Amino acid sequence: MKNIFSLLIFCISILSFAQSGAPFTGRRDFNIEQGASGSGTPAYYLEVKSNGDVYFGFLQINQADGTQTKEEINAGKYNSKVMKVHFKTYNETFYVKFDKEKIYLTDENGNIKKSEDCCPVSEMGKGSCTCESTFYR
């Protein structure tokens, strides 16, 4: 009976991961809006759990006094079209979608945004750049 119960739990966990369709599990760091180095720009990350839950978080270190501000939120189950992220600390809401390699800043409908804020310093004169970031491990 114990073996059957264990097998049932194992099958349910595999099935729930398969249904999530998440491109990976684990933590990835990213930086969509480049900002100037040393400006105290928050370091963002996301973590995908094996059950498909997606957590977003940030850590910001004040350059003047070294104080840290951080927050982590559960954005719900993985959605390949668009995910809403709302951080209460700074009342910041944004929409993203991501795949195995990159994360994209989008509008509410999942259309990838373009902005000057997303340009690397070397390309600031371009006008606007695609708001995307490669994941860092």
Side-chain angles (χ1 to χ4, degrees), residues 21-26 28 30 46-48 52-56 75-83 85 95-106 133 135:
F24 61 84
T25 57
R28 304 289 189 274
F30 63 93
L46 69 82
E47 185 171 357
V48 181
D53 283 348
V54 180
Y55 290 81
F56 285 87
K77 296 288 185 192
Y78 172 73
N79 183 334
S80 62
K81 293 180 179 32
V82 67
M83 296 194 73
V85 179
Y95 298 89
V96 298
K97 64 181 174 183
F98 62 92
D99 57 32
K100 191 172 187 170
E101 303 295 325
K102 291 185 177 183
I103 185 166
Y104 305 89
L105 192 60
T106 70
S133 172
F135 285 124

Side-chain angles (χ1 to χ4, degrees), residues 16-66:
S16 73
F17 177 70
Q19 288 177 342
S20 76
F24 61 84
T25 57
R27 181 179 163 146
R28 304 289 189 274
D29 297 319
F30 63 93
N31 184 18
I32 293 176
E33 293 181 342
Q34 300 294 320
S37 179
S39 67
T41 304
Y44 291 98
Y45 66 89
L46 69 82
E47 185 171 357
V48 181
K49 304 289 186 179
S50 60
N51 66 358
D53 283 348
V54 180
Y55 290 81
F56 285 87
F58 74 85
L59 171 64
Q60 183 172 20
I61 300 174
N62 183 309
Q63 300 297 309
D65 63 11

Side-chain angles (χ1 to χ4, degrees), residues 70-128:
K70 59 184 174 179
E71 183 177 353
E72 183 174 275
I73 59 120
N74 181 342
K77 296 288 185 192
Y78 172 73
N79 183 334
S80 62
K81 293 180 179 32
V82 67
M83 296 194 73
K84 180 179 179 179
V85 179
H86 177 74
F87 289 117
K88 293 178 183 176
T89 304
Y90 297 119
N91 195 26
E92 175 183 36
T93 300
F94 55 91
Y95 298 89
V96 298
K97 64 181 174 183
F98 62 92
D99 57 32
K100 191 172 187 170
E101 303 295 325
K102 291 185 177 183
I103 185 166
Y104 305 89
L105 192 60
T106 70
D107 62 16
E108 293 178 27
N109 299 315
N111 301 310
I112 299 171
K113 288 187 169 187
K114 288 190 172 201
S115 169
E116 187 174 298
D117 293 338
C118 298
C119 294
V121 175
S122 62
E123 298 179 23
M124 282 295 192
K126 243 182 159 178
S128 67

